PDB file of all heavy atoms in Angstrom:
ATOM      1  N   ASN A   1       0.812  -1.210   0.000  1.00 91.00           N
ATOM      2  CA  ASN A   1       0.000   0.000   0.000  1.00 91.00           C
ATOM      3  C   ASN A   1       0.851   1.269   0.000  1.00 91.00           C
ATOM      4  O   ASN A   1       2.071   1.218  -0.170  1.00 91.00           O
ATOM      5  CB  ASN A   1      -0.989  -0.020   1.170  1.00 91.00           C
ATOM      6  CG  ASN A   1      -0.296  -0.004   2.527  1.00 91.00           C
ATOM      7  OD1 ASN A   1       0.858   0.379   2.657  1.00 91.00           O
ATOM      8  ND2 ASN A   1      -1.011  -0.432   3.560  1.00 91.00           N
ATOM      9  N   SER A   2       0.202   2.404   0.216  1.00 88.00           N
ATOM     10  CA  SER A   2       0.899   3.689   0.136  1.00 88.00           C
ATOM     11  C   SER A   2       1.948   3.856   1.230  1.00 88.00           C
ATOM     12  O   SER A   2       2.832   4.706   1.116  1.00 88.00           O
ATOM     13  CB  SER A   2      -0.109   4.839   0.204  1.00 88.00           C
ATOM     14  OG  SER A   2      -0.859   4.779   1.415  1.00 88.00           O
ATOM     15  N   ASP A   3       1.867   3.052   2.288  1.00 91.00           N
ATOM     16  CA  ASP A   3       2.885   3.072   3.339  1.00 91.00           C
ATOM     17  C   ASP A   3       3.956   2.014   3.102  1.00 91.00           C
ATOM     18  O   ASP A   3       4.889   1.879   3.896  1.00 91.00           O
ATOM     19  CB  ASP A   3       2.249   2.837   4.713  1.00 91.00           C
ATOM     20  CG  ASP A   3       1.356   3.992   5.134  1.00 91.00           C
ATOM     21  OD1 ASP A   3       1.705   5.150   4.831  1.00 91.00           O
ATOM     22  OD2 ASP A   3       0.308   3.734   5.761  1.00 91.00           O
ATOM     23  N   GLY A   4       3.795   1.249   2.029  1.00 94.00           N
ATOM     24  CA  GLY A   4       4.749   0.196   1.716  1.00 94.00           C
ATOM     25  C   GLY A   4       4.468  -1.126   2.397  1.00 94.00           C
ATOM     26  O   GLY A   4       5.235  -2.074   2.253  1.00 94.00           O
ATOM     27  N   GLU A   5       3.350  -1.223   3.127  1.00 94.00           N
ATOM     28  CA  GLU A   5       3.037  -2.444   3.862  1.00 94.00           C
ATOM     29  C   GLU A   5       2.370  -3.480   2.949  1.00 94.00           C
ATOM     30  O   GLU A   5       1.488  -3.151   2.161  1.00 94.00           O
ATOM     31  CB  GLU A   5       2.099  -2.131   5.022  1.00 94.00           C
ATOM     32  CG  GLU A   5       2.686  -1.177   6.044  1.00 94.00           C
ATOM     33  CD  GLU A   5       1.656  -0.732   7.061  1.00 94.00           C
ATOM     34  OE1 GLU A   5       0.535  -1.286   7.046  1.00 94.00           O
ATOM     35  OE2 GLU A   5       1.953   0.169   7.863  1.00 94.00           O
ATOM     36  N   LYS A   6       2.794  -4.717   3.069  1.00 94.00           N
ATOM     37  CA  LYS A   6       2.162  -5.804   2.331  1.00 94.00           C
ATOM     38  C   LYS A   6       0.760  -6.030   2.891  1.00 94.00           C
ATOM     39  O   LYS A   6       0.562  -6.101   4.103  1.00 94.00           O
ATOM     40  CB  LYS A   6       2.982  -7.080   2.477  1.00 94.00           C
ATOM     41  CG  LYS A   6       2.384  -8.286   1.767  1.00 94.00           C
ATOM     42  CD  LYS A   6       3.234  -9.520   2.035  1.00 94.00           C
ATOM     43  CE  LYS A   6       2.610 -10.767   1.425  1.00 94.00           C
ATOM     44  NZ  LYS A   6       3.390 -11.984   1.735  1.00 94.00           N
ATOM     45  N   VAL A   7      -0.223  -6.139   2.003  1.00 93.00           N
ATOM     46  CA  VAL A   7      -1.599  -6.354   2.433  1.00 93.00           C
ATOM     47  C   VAL A   7      -2.118  -7.657   1.839  1.00 93.00           C
ATOM     48  O   VAL A   7      -1.491  -8.257   0.965  1.00 93.00           O
ATOM     49  CB  VAL A   7      -2.506  -5.171   2.003  1.00 93.00           C
ATOM     50  CG1 VAL A   7      -2.095  -3.895   2.726  1.00 93.00           C
ATOM     51  CG2 VAL A   7      -2.446  -4.969   0.502  1.00 93.00           C
ATOM     52  N   SER A   8      -3.271  -8.089   2.307  1.00 92.00           N
ATOM     53  CA  SER A   8      -3.794  -9.400   1.933  1.00 92.00           C
ATOM     54  C   SER A   8      -4.724  -9.355   0.733  1.00 92.00           C
ATOM     55  O   SER A   8      -5.293 -10.377   0.366  1.00 92.00           O
ATOM     56  CB  SER A   8      -4.537 -10.016   3.122  1.00 92.00           C
ATOM     57  OG  SER A   8      -5.626  -9.191   3.513  1.00 92.00           O
ATOM     58  N   TYR A   9      -4.892  -8.195   0.142  1.00 92.00           N
ATOM     59  CA  TYR A   9      -5.816  -8.075  -0.984  1.00 92.00           C
ATOM     60  C   TYR A   9      -5.093  -7.522  -2.209  1.00 92.00           C
ATOM     61  O   TYR A   9      -3.981  -6.998  -2.113  1.00 92.00           O
ATOM     62  CB  TYR A   9      -6.989  -7.166  -0.624  1.00 92.00           C
ATOM     63  CG  TYR A   9      -6.570  -5.787  -0.152  1.00 92.00           C
ATOM     64  CD1 TYR A   9      -6.312  -4.769  -1.057  1.00 92.00           C
ATOM     65  CD2 TYR A   9      -6.402  -5.517   1.199  1.00 92.00           C
ATOM     66  CE1 TYR A   9      -5.910  -3.510  -0.635  1.00 92.00           C
ATOM     67  CE2 TYR A   9      -5.993  -4.262   1.640  1.00 92.00           C
ATOM     68  CZ  TYR A   9      -5.755  -3.271   0.710  1.00 92.00           C
ATOM     69  OH  TYR A   9      -5.342  -2.026   1.136  1.00 92.00           O
ATOM     70  N   MET A  10      -5.733  -7.645  -3.365  1.00 93.00           N
ATOM     71  CA  MET A  10      -5.199  -7.111  -4.603  1.00 93.00           C
ATOM     72  C   MET A  10      -6.203  -6.109  -5.169  1.00 93.00           C
ATOM     73  O   MET A  10      -7.320  -6.474  -5.536  1.00 93.00           O
ATOM     74  CB  MET A  10      -4.970  -8.231  -5.614  1.00 93.00           C
ATOM     75  CG  MET A  10      -4.300  -7.762  -6.882  1.00 93.00           C
ATOM     76  SD  MET A  10      -2.584  -7.257  -6.628  1.00 93.00           S
ATOM     77  CE  MET A  10      -1.799  -8.823  -6.292  1.00 93.00           C
ATOM     78  N   PRO A  11      -5.866  -4.823  -5.212  1.00 92.00           N
ATOM     79  CA  PRO A  11      -6.811  -3.832  -5.725  1.00 92.00           C
ATOM     80  C   PRO A  11      -7.197  -4.120  -7.173  1.00 92.00           C
ATOM     81  O   PRO A  11      -6.409  -4.657  -7.950  1.00 92.00           O
ATOM     82  CB  PRO A  11      -6.031  -2.512  -5.631  1.00 92.00           C
ATOM     83  CG  PRO A  11      -4.970  -2.777  -4.617  1.00 92.00           C
ATOM     84  CD  PRO A  11      -4.605  -4.217  -4.796  1.00 92.00           C
ATOM     85  N   GLY A  12      -8.411  -3.757  -7.530  1.00 92.00           N
ATOM     86  CA  GLY A  12      -8.852  -3.896  -8.913  1.00 92.00           C
ATOM     87  C   GLY A  12     -10.199  -4.579  -9.032  1.00 92.00           C
ATOM     88  O   GLY A  12     -10.915  -4.794  -8.051  1.00 92.00           O
ATOM     89  N   TRP A  13     -10.544  -4.904 -10.265  1.00 94.00           N
ATOM     90  CA  TRP A  13     -11.802  -5.588 -10.548  1.00 94.00           C
ATOM     91  C   TRP A  13     -11.774  -7.002  -9.998  1.00 94.00           C
ATOM     92  O   TRP A  13     -10.746  -7.679 -10.047  1.00 94.00           O
ATOM     93  CB  TRP A  13     -12.032  -5.637 -12.052  1.00 94.00           C
ATOM     94  CG  TRP A  13     -12.350  -4.308 -12.665  1.00 94.00           C
ATOM     95  CD1 TRP A  13     -11.484  -3.462 -13.281  1.00 94.00           C
ATOM     96  CD2 TRP A  13     -13.633  -3.691 -12.721  1.00 94.00           C
ATOM     97  NE1 TRP A  13     -12.138  -2.343 -13.712  1.00 94.00           N
ATOM     98  CE2 TRP A  13     -13.471  -2.447 -13.399  1.00 94.00           C
ATOM     99  CE3 TRP A  13     -14.910  -4.045 -12.273  1.00 94.00           C
ATOM    100  CZ2 TRP A  13     -14.527  -1.579 -13.630  1.00 94.00           C
ATOM    101  CZ3 TRP A  13     -15.967  -3.177 -12.515  1.00 94.00           C
ATOM    102  CH2 TRP A  13     -15.768  -1.968 -13.183  1.00 94.00           C
ATOM    103  N   TYR A  14     -12.938  -7.427  -9.517  1.00 92.00           N
ATOM    104  CA  TYR A  14     -13.046  -8.775  -8.958  1.00 92.00           C
ATOM    105  C   TYR A  14     -14.388  -9.384  -9.350  1.00 92.00           C
ATOM    106  O   TYR A  14     -15.443  -8.796  -9.120  1.00 92.00           O
ATOM    107  CB  TYR A  14     -12.919  -8.729  -7.434  1.00 92.00           C
ATOM    108  CG  TYR A  14     -13.097 -10.090  -6.781  1.00 92.00           C
ATOM    109  CD1 TYR A  14     -12.132 -11.068  -6.939  1.00 92.00           C
ATOM    110  CD2 TYR A  14     -14.226 -10.375  -6.033  1.00 92.00           C
ATOM    111  CE1 TYR A  14     -12.291 -12.316  -6.368  1.00 92.00           C
ATOM    112  CE2 TYR A  14     -14.394 -11.619  -5.449  1.00 92.00           C
ATOM    113  CZ  TYR A  14     -13.418 -12.586  -5.616  1.00 92.00           C
ATOM    114  OH  TYR A  14     -13.588 -13.818  -5.047  1.00 92.00           O
ATOM    115  N   LYS A  15     -14.336 -10.564  -9.975  1.00 93.00           N
ATOM    116  CA  LYS A  15     -15.553 -11.264 -10.407  1.00 93.00           C
ATOM    117  C   LYS A  15     -16.020 -12.161  -9.271  1.00 93.00           C
ATOM    118  O   LYS A  15     -15.339 -13.101  -8.869  1.00 93.00           O
ATOM    119  CB  LYS A  15     -15.276 -12.096 -11.653  1.00 93.00           C
ATOM    120  CG  LYS A  15     -16.526 -12.693 -12.300  1.00 93.00           C
ATOM    121  CD  LYS A  15     -17.395 -11.611 -12.914  1.00 93.00           C
ATOM    122  CE  LYS A  15     -18.634 -12.186 -13.601  1.00 93.00           C
ATOM    123  NZ  LYS A  15     -18.283 -13.033 -14.770  1.00 93.00           N
ATOM    124  N   ASP A  16     -17.178 -11.848  -8.724  1.00 93.00           N
ATOM    125  CA  ASP A  16     -17.744 -12.603  -7.612  1.00 93.00           C
ATOM    126  C   ASP A  16     -19.005 -13.292  -8.102  1.00 93.00           C
ATOM    127  O   ASP A  16     -20.090 -12.732  -8.072  1.00 93.00           O
ATOM    128  CB  ASP A  16     -18.058 -11.651  -6.455  1.00 93.00           C
ATOM    129  CG  ASP A  16     -18.571 -12.381  -5.217  1.00 93.00           C
ATOM    130  OD1 ASP A  16     -18.425 -13.617  -5.165  1.00 93.00           O
ATOM    131  OD2 ASP A  16     -19.113 -11.715  -4.319  1.00 93.00           O
ATOM    132  N   GLY A  17     -18.837 -14.516  -8.591  1.00 93.00           N
ATOM    133  CA  GLY A  17     -19.973 -15.217  -9.170  1.00 93.00           C
ATOM    134  C   GLY A  17     -20.434 -14.514 -10.442  1.00 93.00           C
ATOM    135  O   GLY A  17     -19.676 -14.353 -11.394  1.00 93.00           O
ATOM    136  N   ASP A  18     -21.677 -14.072 -10.439  1.00 93.00           N
ATOM    137  CA  ASP A  18     -22.220 -13.366 -11.602  1.00 93.00           C
ATOM    138  C   ASP A  18     -22.039 -11.862 -11.506  1.00 93.00           C
ATOM    139  O   ASP A  18     -22.518 -11.126 -12.381  1.00 93.00           O
ATOM    140  CB  ASP A  18     -23.723 -13.679 -11.743  1.00 93.00           C
ATOM    141  CG  ASP A  18     -23.979 -15.149 -12.056  1.00 93.00           C
ATOM    142  OD1 ASP A  18     -23.100 -15.782 -12.683  1.00 93.00           O
ATOM    143  OD2 ASP A  18     -25.037 -15.662 -11.646  1.00 93.00           O
ATOM    144  N   TYR A  19     -21.386 -11.400 -10.458  1.00 94.00           N
ATOM    145  CA  TYR A  19     -21.289  -9.960 -10.219  1.00 94.00           C
ATOM    146  C   TYR A  19     -19.859  -9.466 -10.333  1.00 94.00           C
ATOM    147  O   TYR A  19     -18.909 -10.215 -10.142  1.00 94.00           O
ATOM    148  CB  TYR A  19     -21.817  -9.612  -8.822  1.00 94.00           C
ATOM    149  CG  TYR A  19     -23.219 -10.107  -8.561  1.00 94.00           C
ATOM    150  CD1 TYR A  19     -23.440 -11.189  -7.711  1.00 94.00           C
ATOM    151  CD2 TYR A  19     -24.324  -9.507  -9.172  1.00 94.00           C
ATOM    152  CE1 TYR A  19     -24.722 -11.655  -7.471  1.00 94.00           C
ATOM    153  CE2 TYR A  19     -25.601  -9.968  -8.937  1.00 94.00           C
ATOM    154  CZ  TYR A  19     -25.798 -11.046  -8.086  1.00 94.00           C
ATOM    155  OH  TYR A  19     -27.070 -11.500  -7.857  1.00 94.00           O
ATOM    156  N   TRP A  20     -19.770  -8.175 -10.618  1.00 96.00           N
ATOM    157  CA  TRP A  20     -18.474  -7.502 -10.594  1.00 96.00           C
ATOM    158  C   TRP A  20     -18.401  -6.573  -9.397  1.00 96.00           C
ATOM    159  O   TRP A  20     -19.342  -5.852  -9.092  1.00 96.00           O
ATOM    160  CB  TRP A  20     -18.260  -6.676 -11.869  1.00 96.00           C
ATOM    161  CG  TRP A  20     -17.851  -7.492 -13.055  1.00 96.00           C
ATOM    162  CD1 TRP A  20     -18.643  -7.919 -14.069  1.00 96.00           C
ATOM    163  CD2 TRP A  20     -16.544  -7.980 -13.332  1.00 96.00           C
ATOM    164  NE1 TRP A  20     -17.922  -8.651 -14.979  1.00 96.00           N
ATOM    165  CE2 TRP A  20     -16.617  -8.703 -14.546  1.00 96.00           C
ATOM    166  CE3 TRP A  20     -15.319  -7.882 -12.675  1.00 96.00           C
ATOM    167  CZ2 TRP A  20     -15.507  -9.314 -15.111  1.00 96.00           C
ATOM    168  CZ3 TRP A  20     -14.210  -8.499 -13.244  1.00 96.00           C
ATOM    169  CH2 TRP A  20     -14.309  -9.205 -14.449  1.00 96.00           C
ATOM    170  N   ARG A  21     -17.254  -6.601  -8.744  1.00 96.00           N
ATOM    171  CA  ARG A  21     -16.989  -5.684  -7.651  1.00 96.00           C
ATOM    172  C   ARG A  21     -15.644  -5.008  -7.930  1.00 96.00           C
ATOM    173  O   ARG A  21     -14.893  -5.423  -8.808  1.00 96.00           O
ATOM    174  CB  ARG A  21     -16.929  -6.417  -6.304  1.00 96.00           C
ATOM    175  CG  ARG A  21     -18.163  -7.255  -5.995  1.00 96.00           C
ATOM    176  CD  ARG A  21     -18.056  -7.840  -4.597  1.00 96.00           C
ATOM    177  NE  ARG A  21     -19.084  -8.823  -4.344  1.00 96.00           N
ATOM    178  CZ  ARG A  21     -20.320  -8.554  -3.961  1.00 96.00           C
ATOM    179  NH1 ARG A  21     -20.673  -7.279  -3.791  1.00 96.00           N
ATOM    180  NH2 ARG A  21     -21.207  -9.501  -3.746  1.00 96.00           N
ATOM    181  N   TYR A  22     -15.363  -3.973  -7.153  1.00 94.00           N
ATOM    182  CA  TYR A  22     -14.089  -3.283  -7.343  1.00 94.00           C
ATOM    183  C   TYR A  22     -13.445  -3.038  -5.985  1.00 94.00           C
ATOM    184  O   TYR A  22     -14.028  -2.392  -5.111  1.00 94.00           O
ATOM    185  CB  TYR A  22     -14.285  -1.942  -8.069  1.00 94.00           C
ATOM    186  CG  TYR A  22     -12.977  -1.341  -8.503  1.00 94.00           C
ATOM    187  CD1 TYR A  22     -12.419  -1.686  -9.722  1.00 94.00           C
ATOM    188  CD2 TYR A  22     -12.285  -0.465  -7.679  1.00 94.00           C
ATOM    189  CE1 TYR A  22     -11.202  -1.166 -10.112  1.00 94.00           C
ATOM    190  CE2 TYR A  22     -11.068   0.060  -8.058  1.00 94.00           C
ATOM    191  CZ  TYR A  22     -10.529  -0.287  -9.280  1.00 94.00           C
ATOM    192  OH  TYR A  22      -9.318   0.219  -9.660  1.00 94.00           O
ATOM    193  N   ILE A  23     -12.237  -3.593  -5.797  1.00 93.00           N
ATOM    194  CA  ILE A  23     -11.499  -3.428  -4.547  1.00 93.00           C
ATOM    195  C   ILE A  23     -10.584  -2.217  -4.677  1.00 93.00           C
ATOM    196  O   ILE A  23      -9.714  -2.166  -5.555  1.00 93.00           O
ATOM    197  CB  ILE A  23     -10.660  -4.671  -4.221  1.00 93.00           C
ATOM    198  CG1 ILE A  23     -11.557  -5.915  -4.161  1.00 93.00           C
ATOM    199  CG2 ILE A  23      -9.922  -4.492  -2.892  1.00 93.00           C
ATOM    200  CD1 ILE A  23     -10.783  -7.212  -4.006  1.00 93.00           C
ATOM    201  N   GLN A  24     -10.779  -1.243  -3.799  1.00 89.00           N
ATOM    202  CA  GLN A  24      -9.958  -0.045  -3.811  1.00 89.00           C
ATOM    203  C   GLN A  24      -8.614  -0.298  -3.135  1.00 89.00           C
ATOM    204  O   GLN A  24      -8.403  -1.328  -2.492  1.00 89.00           O
ATOM    205  CB  GLN A  24     -10.699   1.090  -3.105  1.00 89.00           C
ATOM    206  CG  GLN A  24     -12.053   1.402  -3.731  1.00 89.00           C
ATOM    207  CD  GLN A  24     -12.803   2.448  -2.943  1.00 89.00           C
ATOM    208  OE1 GLN A  24     -12.637   3.644  -3.155  1.00 89.00           O
ATOM    209  NE2 GLN A  24     -13.654   1.995  -2.024  1.00 89.00           N
ATOM    210  N   LYS A  25      -7.720   0.667  -3.264  1.00 88.00           N
ATOM    211  CA  LYS A  25      -6.380   0.483  -2.713  1.00 88.00           C
ATOM    212  C   LYS A  25      -6.360   0.422  -1.195  1.00 88.00           C
ATOM    213  O   LYS A  25      -5.416  -0.089  -0.606  1.00 88.00           O
ATOM    214  CB  LYS A  25      -5.466   1.610  -3.190  1.00 88.00           C
ATOM    215  CG  LYS A  25      -5.110   1.464  -4.652  1.00 88.00           C
ATOM    216  CD  LYS A  25      -4.020   2.433  -5.010  1.00 88.00           C
ATOM    217  CE  LYS A  25      -3.538   2.168  -6.416  1.00 88.00           C
ATOM    218  NZ  LYS A  25      -2.400   3.037  -6.763  1.00 88.00           N
ATOM    219  N   ASN A  26      -7.389   0.959  -0.566  1.00 86.00           N
ATOM    220  CA  ASN A  26      -7.445   0.890   0.901  1.00 86.00           C
ATOM    221  C   ASN A  26      -8.049  -0.425   1.390  1.00 86.00           C
ATOM    222  O   ASN A  26      -8.215  -0.632   2.587  1.00 86.00           O
ATOM    223  CB  ASN A  26      -8.230   2.069   1.467  1.00 86.00           C
ATOM    224  CG  ASN A  26      -9.663   2.125   0.951  1.00 86.00           C
ATOM    225  OD1 ASN A  26     -10.137   1.190   0.296  1.00 86.00           O
ATOM    226  ND2 ASN A  26     -10.359   3.209   1.230  1.00 86.00           N
TER     227      ASN A  26
END
């Protein structure tokens, strides 16, 4: 992230079954 810390998620588009979601950088 912006502090350089490794996080458990990957920002961006995410296909959840039949739906699209968007994971922000936070």
Side-chain angles (χ1 to χ4, degrees):
N1 64 20
S2 59
D3 293 323
E5 298 171 8
K6 179 183 176 183
V7 295
S8 60
Y9 56 85
M10 185 68 70
W13 290 97
Y14 177 70
K15 189 69 178 295
D16 184 14
D18 295 331
Y19 305 107
W20 281 100
R21 305 185 190 277
Y22 191 87
I23 303 173
Q24 302 175 87
K25 288 190 173 184
N26 59 9

